[in-house]
Amino acid sequence: SEKIIHEGQWLCLCETVYEDKDGIAIAWESVRRKKTISGVVIVAKLLPSNRFVVIKQFRPAISGSILSFPAGLTQGDSAHALVELREETGYVGKIRMVSPLMKTGASIIDDNGQIVYIEVDENDPVNKNPVQHLEPGEVIEVFLVKKEEAKDFLLQENAKGVHISSNLWYFFVLSEMVWG
């Protein structure tokens, strides 16, 4: 069974009670979005320099700033990633790959997301002096990071108290260790 414990403007805190394999009732709290929205995480690579777009943004939930890839919410349209990239960074690019719809944070939230790989032609005049189109209240700093310099960059920012998104660490550091 499921009941709503608290309902806010955008999210609901729910309690789900289920039986485990031994027939014992287990209560589990989770978060659900009020609208069926999915997220997009944008891995944007500038060509020909092979630098990646990383952002730093304040997030109230963690009472601090976090380094991450640009991202946003959609109604399931992965092409919206182009809009989010332009809003948050000013860059314009082309979608080259979209992941399947995946679950994000399944231990606490019933949320869907996709990873969208976008190539940005930095020689295109529109990308020479990108201008952000931020929503009210958004403060986003843009960094262009080479993969071989990313680990040091992330550790330097973390030493300053900036949080690191796990997907950045996996993309830039762990995947290299695991896959070579």
Side-chain angles (χ1 to χ4, degrees):
S1 67
E2 184 175 284
K3 70 177 179 180
I4 294 175
I5 298 171
H6 177 76
E7 190 170 353
Q9 183 176 359
W10 306 106
L11 303 172
C12 295
L13 176 61
C14 302
E15 180 184 67
T16 303
V17 178
Y18 66 96
E19 286 187 12
D20 70 6
K21 64 179 176 58
D22 298 320
I24 299 171
I26 306 291
W28 191 269
E29 293 176 354
S30 63
V31 176
R32 297 193 189 277
R33 293 192 188 279
K34 289 178 70 171
K35 297 180 181 178
T36 54
I37 297 175
S38 64
V40 288
V41 173
I42 302 155
V43 178
K45 185 177 184 180
L46 275 66
L47 296 173
S49 71
N50 292 319
R51 296 176 297 168
F52 290 88
V53 178
V54 173
I55 64 169
K56 179 167 62 174
Q57 183 174 18
F58 178 77
R59 292 294 191 183
I62 60 171
S63 299
S65 294
I66 188 165
L67 290 168
S68 65
F69 287 120
L73 296 174
T74 76
Q75 291 294 341
D77 178 15
S78 59
H80 188 70
L82 295 169
V83 174
E84 289 292 337
L85 180 66
R86 185 160 187 261
E87 285 177 359
E88 293 185 1
T89 71
Y91 286 106
V92 175
K94 293 180 182 171
I95 294 175
R96 294 296 185 211
M97 187 187 77
V98 178
S99 75
L101 198 60
M102 300 177 286
K103 290 294 183 185
T104 60
S107 63
I108 191 170
I109 188 167
D110 183 10
D111 209 13
N112 298 308
Q114 291 180 296
I115 299 173
V116 179
Y117 173 63
I118 297 176
E119 289 180 348
V120 176
D121 178 0
E122 60 193 317
N123 292 322
D124 185 328
V126 73
N127 290 320
K128 289 291 186 186
N129 295 300
V131 176
Q132 295 169 302
H133 303 277
L134 300 174
E135 294 177 17
E138 282 187 315
V139 178
I140 297 175
E141 189 174 350
V142 178
F143 298 92
L144 304 178
V145 180
K146 290 187 176 189
K147 191 165 187 175
E148 59 272 12
E149 298 169 359
K151 181 179 179 183
D152 289 340
F153 168 73
L154 295 174
L155 291 172
Q156 288 168 3
E157 289 294 310
N158 190 242
K160 297 176 191 173
V162 178
H163 299 279
I164 303 169
S165 172
S166 59
N167 60 19
L168 279 184
W169 190 259
Y170 177 78
F171 182 83
F172 287 121
V173 182
L174 188 58
S175 65
E176 186 67 27
M177 293 176 65
V178 172
W179 305 109

